[in-house]
Amino acid sequence: MTTPFLKTILAVLRKDLLAELRSREIIGAMALYALLSVLVFSFALQLNLTVRREAVSGILWVTVTFAVVLGFNRSSATERESGSFDALLVAPVSRGAIYLGKALSNYVFALAVGLILLPVMTVLFNVRLTHPGAVLALVLGALGLSVTGTLLSMMTVQTRTRETLLPIVMLPVALPLLLAAVSATTRIINNEPSAEWAGWLQLIGVIDTLYFALCYLLFDYVVEE
């Protein structure tokens, strides 16, 4: 039997996904930004193929991170403008379930954009970013960005400078995650033995767990403030 907590999570997730299917605003904007950014990096590094290969993992994660910031900014602003988020907060349901539903929907958006980027960058930069290890790094890294971005976007959405404030707040918080993700991805695309990058993937998993626990505990306080 589905518990009320799980029903709330699924209801919030379903609401966000259906709204995105109708409007196609969030994933469309994120994907377009990500593809244009990758093309700019590709043309800028065209003359130095060695640098291109060494910079691929950094380009991937910088692009994913800023695409995520763009999408989360838009998602939280739409929620506030329509009043749907305020309606969720006054509903007799768990705030933790609301957070999990929002984080899951944001994770779907972030992961979709990342999975679009992997084959595109594989072709543009002539590296194998479709390696299972690279895909796993993306899956874990996008999760960490989503759980932190969901909380921080709700913190900054009420400010007039939310478009610039969210990246300023989020990037320092996400820095340990990004360093681990870039290190893992670099070793994977350089065809190093799995022993060289498996530890970095485990570190990403640990960071995800810590971020999730902190964000879950802080969400109720943040939305009250």
Side-chain angles (χ1 to χ4, degrees), residues 45-219:
L45 298 175
Q46 187 68 41
L47 298 179
N48 194 326
L49 298 181
T50 302
V51 173
R52 270 164 57 97
R53 184 175 183 85
E54 293 176 351
V56 165
S57 57
I59 293 171
L60 171 66
W61 284 105
V62 166
T63 304
V64 169
T65 301
F66 280 100
V68 161
V69 169
L70 175 67
F72 291 178
N73 252 332
R74 181 59 189 156
S75 174
S76 58
T78 302
E79 289 274 0
R80 286 294 186 182
E81 290 167 2
S82 66
S84 59
F85 187 72
D86 292 330
L88 284 174
L89 293 181
V90 299
V93 295
S94 168
R95 297 275 177 87
I98 294 173
Y99 168 73
L100 290 176
K102 295 296 297 179
L104 279 174
S105 63
N106 285 334
Y107 180 51
V108 170
F109 301 152
L111 191 58
V113 172
L115 292 176
I116 291 171
L117 278 182
L118 292 185
V120 172
M121 291 186 66
T122 295
V123 173
L124 289 176
F125 293 91
N126 195 28
V127 294
R128 192 189 170 198
L129 280 169
T130 53
H131 186 287
V135 175
L136 181 57
L138 176 66
V139 168
L140 293 173
L143 178 60
L145 292 175
S146 299
V147 296
T148 55
T150 299
L151 178 71
L152 295 176
S153 63
M154 292 305 169
M155 289 176 58
T156 59
V157 70
Q158 295 284 33
T159 64
R160 288 182 297 176
T161 58
R162 60 177 177 264
E163 288 81 6
T164 55
L165 186 58
L166 179 58
I168 292 173
V169 173
M170 184 173 171
L171 291 180
V173 174
L175 185 59
L177 173 67
L178 295 176
L179 290 175
V182 169
S183 297
T185 307
T186 299
R187 286 165 173 76
I188 291 166
I189 64 177
N190 287 335
N191 297 316
E192 296 185 16
S194 59
E196 296 294 325
W197 47 263
W200 288 105
L201 293 183
Q202 293 172 2
L203 178 58
I204 298 172
V206 171
I207 294 172
D208 285 354
T209 303
L210 292 174
Y211 282 176
F212 169 74
L214 287 173
C215 292
Y216 181 81
L217 293 173
L218 290 172
F219 182 74

Side-chain angles (χ1 to χ4, degrees), residues 30-43 59 62-63 66-67 117 125:
M30 292 169 68
L32 181 60
Y33 169 84
L35 292 174
L36 291 176
S37 297
V38 167
L39 285 173
V40 170
F41 279 120
S42 176
F43 293 139
I59 293 171
V62 166
T63 304
F66 280 100
L117 278 182
F125 293 91

